[in-house]
Amino acid sequence: MFSKNADDIQGDVEAQIAALRKEISKISASLPDLSSERFDEVKRIATKQAKHAAATARENPVATIAILAGAAVLVGLLARR
């Protein structure tokens, strides 16, 4: 009687392992699609932000030059260290 239960348990565990392997295979197969979609989304957002930054720079050239000059000074100070 005990061996029958152990065999049943072993069969159940093996079936669960097989099911998990199948799920992992499905997930692994879908990862490239997900990463590609995510990359496209990030690229779209970055492009939108770059266009917005360029438009803002065109609308406020003096402020843009002041910010760039300040950034250059900071980089110069950090590079000395």
Side-chain angles (χ1 to χ4, degrees), residues 5-77:
N5 287 336
D7 290 341
D8 289 343
I9 291 171
Q10 184 177 355
D12 289 345
V13 169
E14 289 174 358
Q16 289 176 355
I17 290 172
L20 288 172
R21 285 185 177 151
K22 188 175 179 179
E23 283 297 313
I24 290 172
S25 294
K26 287 180 185 178
I27 291 169
S28 296
S30 69
L31 283 178
D33 294 337
L34 291 175
S35 62
S36 175
E37 290 173 13
R38 183 70 178 149
F39 175 77
D40 290 342
E41 180 182 348
V42 169
K43 183 178 174 183
R44 181 183 56 78
I45 291 170
T47 302
K48 182 179 175 182
Q49 291 297 324
K51 287 179 182 178
H52 179 69
T56 302
R58 273 189 237 104
E59 291 171 4
N60 304 303
V62 175
T64 302
I65 291 171
I67 291 170
L68 289 175
V73 169
L74 279 173
V75 169
L77 290 173

